């Protein structure tokens, strides 16, 4: 089984945010694109989807950016993979929407074997946290060009500080800033 490039990039985005998590700093799509040298369009879509799935928090505005929604120790790799991979059908006959013309299908026991294998694969990924997926945070920071990242205390704006004590911050969407950026680029 091979994971999609989309999942690969989503894992990279999450690992980047994990490295910066303790600093409290927000990251931008451009930061991630520069660190990994991957397509901005792909990263923008991934960031949007991760935000919709509640894995990251997005903040709009000039000083906005993205960060993990919770600590890297609380996010499993299995959860990330499940949110990005939509098809775990190993062979065609596992796809509920496929019309399969196989003479042995009624007598085939591979389907249950493959299902157990996928379940074991995902179970193993559930055991690994995002934090555990990085051998050394400081070495990873250096490799990503973040060697100067130091933990800092970030004060929330007064309007958010009150609500942060009583309820989790609402999910923020990143689509609007991306559209504005596209319009500015098109206008040039």
């Amino acid at each position: 089984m091979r994971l999609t490039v989309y999942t690969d990039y989503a894992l990279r985005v999450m690992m980047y945010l994990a490295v910066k998590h303790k600093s409290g700093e927000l990251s931008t799509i451009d930061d991630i694109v520069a660190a990994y040298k991957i397509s901005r369009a792909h990263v923008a879509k991934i960031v949007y989807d991760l935000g919709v799935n509640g894995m990251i928090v997005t903040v709009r505005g000039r000083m906005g950016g993205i960060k993990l929604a919770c600590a890297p120790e609380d996010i499993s790799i299995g959860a990330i993979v499940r949110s990005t991979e939509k098809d775990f059908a190993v062979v065609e006959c596992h796809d509920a929407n496929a019309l399969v013309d196989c003479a042995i299908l009624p007598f085939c026991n591979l389907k249950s074997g493959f299902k157990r294998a996928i379940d074991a694969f995902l179970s193993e990924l559930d055991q690994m946290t995002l934090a555990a997926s990085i051998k050394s945070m400081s070495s990873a920071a250096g490799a990503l060009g973040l060697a100067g990242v130091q933990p800092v205390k970030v004060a929330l704006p007064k309007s958010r500080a009150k609500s942060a004590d009583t309820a989790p911050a609402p999910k923020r969407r990143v689509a609007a800033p991306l559209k504005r950026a596209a319009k500015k680029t098109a206008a040039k």
Side-chain angles (χ1 to χ4, degrees):
M1 183 178 148
R2 183 181 179 121
L3 298 176
T4 61
V5 171
Y6 183 88
T7 297
D8 174 22
Y9 287 2
L11 289 166
R12 292 186 204 193
V13 167
M14 294 296 282
M15 291 173 83
Y16 183 94
L17 297 175
V19 169
K20 286 191 70 176
H21 180 73
K22 285 193 179 183
S23 74
E25 293 179 46
L26 295 176
S27 300
T28 66
I29 290 171
D30 290 333
D31 294 338
I32 296 166
V33 167
Y36 289 118
K37 297 174 182 32
I38 56 180
S39 162
R40 187 180 198 293
H42 282 88
V43 174
K45 175 157 180 31
I46 289 163
V47 164
Y48 174 79
D49 289 345
L50 290 171
V52 168
N53 289 327
M55 295 203 163
I56 65 171
V57 175
T58 60
V59 180
R60 291 182 177 184
R62 190 172 59 90
M63 301 301 287
I66 58 174
K67 65 180 183 174
L68 293 177
C70 57
E73 297 81 16
D74 298 332
I75 302 171
S76 79
I77 298 300
I80 299 168
V81 169
R82 279 186 188 86
S83 77
T84 57
E85 287 290 325
K86 303 304 178 207
D87 182 13
F88 286 102
V90 178
V91 290
E92 185 181 31
C93 60
H94 291 188
D95 185 353
N97 299 323
L99 296 174
V100 180
D101 185 21
C102 176
I104 198 168
L105 186 62
F107 314 104
C108 180
N109 203 23
L110 284 176
K111 188 172 184 175
S112 62
F114 284 143
K115 180 174 181 343
R116 287 191 310 273
I118 296 286
D119 290 345
F121 172 73
L122 291 171
S123 177
E124 187 64 31
L125 294 180
D126 287 337
Q127 301 305 310
M128 177 179 263
T129 66
L130 183 56
S133 72
I134 302 168
K135 285 183 182 180
S136 165
M137 288 290 185
S138 60
S139 296
L144 293 169
L146 303 171
V149 173
Q150 298 294 324
V152 295
K153 185 101 173 161
V154 178
L156 291 173
K158 290 180 183 180
S159 63
R160 290 190 58 205
K162 290 178 186 174
S163 65
D165 293 335
T166 58
K171 293 178 188 173
R172 308 245 171 158
R173 298 184 74 167
V174 76
L178 294 177
K179 288 179 184 174
R180 277 191 238 119
K183 287 180 184 176
K184 286 180 185 177
T185 305
K188 290 179 181 179

